[in-house]
Amino acid sequence: MKIALVHGPNLRLLGRREPEVYGTDTLDDVNARVVALAAELGAEVEVFQSNHEGELVDFIDEASGRVDGFLINPGAFTHTSIALRDALVGVERPFVEVHLSNTHGREAFRRHSYLSGVAAGVVFGFGLQSYLLGLRGLVARLGG
Ligand code: DQA
């Protein structure tokens, strides 16, 4: 089983970006924990981060030929990007949407996600654990 772990804009700043909201784990920490849990669950992980919407769309298209599903934190594109939603629907691979913060307890504009309605599942508010819980859900969804 192969899974793509996709991070959207500004997530490479993790660890120093608003630590009171996003915690002190770096993106490398998140990636290492996801890769380690995936190995335990029998899955392989490919990691991608971009600050650019079009690059994320291109990656989803290209990776869809070699992965079974996507674990994605779309960052701010969650709240703005019909293109990301269309890409994820278009490649016909299940995906789980994750967020470090509780997006429903913050500004009103963060409560709407273009992706949630077409996701296999959504996990938010648990910091790094959101990724690990989301990974477990995705692997189960994929039959692992
Ligand atoms: C985020 C929440 C988004 O609203 C925000 O734009 C991010 C991070 C999260 O992981 O909590 O960049 O996706």
Side-chain angles (χ1 to χ4, degrees):
M1 184 186 299
K2 195 154 181 197
I3 288 167
L5 170 59
V6 182
H7 306 281
N10 299 310
L11 288 165
R12 69 179 68 164
L13 300 176
L14 277 186
R16 60 195 166 96
R17 173 192 182 198
E18 300 178 77
E20 66 288 356
V21 177
Y22 297 117
T24 51
D25 292 312
T26 66
L27 194 61
D28 284 347
D29 294 334
V30 172
N31 292 337
R33 291 287 298 276
V34 171
V35 167
L37 177 60
E40 273 176 42
L41 301 174
E44 206 184 312
V45 177
E46 175 177 346
V47 180
F48 184 75
Q49 189 278 331
S50 177
N51 292 331
H52 304 277
E53 187 177 17
E55 284 183 8
L56 291 161
V57 169
D58 284 345
F59 175 78
I60 289 163
D61 175 18
E62 284 154 20
S64 67
R66 57 181 185 268
V67 303
D68 302 296
F70 292 87
L71 183 65
I72 180 165
N73 182 347
F77 291 147
T78 307
H79 320 297
T80 62
S81 182
I82 298 169
L84 263 190
R85 174 195 173 108
D86 285 351
L88 287 159
V89 170
V91 299
E92 298 183 338
R93 297 279 180 277
F95 75 93
V96 171
E97 173 187 344
V98 298
H99 300 282
L100 295 145
S101 65
N102 176 358
T103 47
H104 286 251
R106 301 178 62 194
E107 300 95 329
F109 63 80
R110 293 188 205 276
R111 285 185 210 138
H112 177 258
S113 165
Y114 278 103
L115 278 67
S116 296
V118 288
V122 186
V123 184
F124 55 88
F126 296 103
L128 189 153
Q129 290 293 328
S130 292
Y131 286 85
L132 303 180
L133 292 165
L135 175 68
R136 286 186 187 278
L138 181 60
V139 168
R141 167 66 187 261
L142 292 170

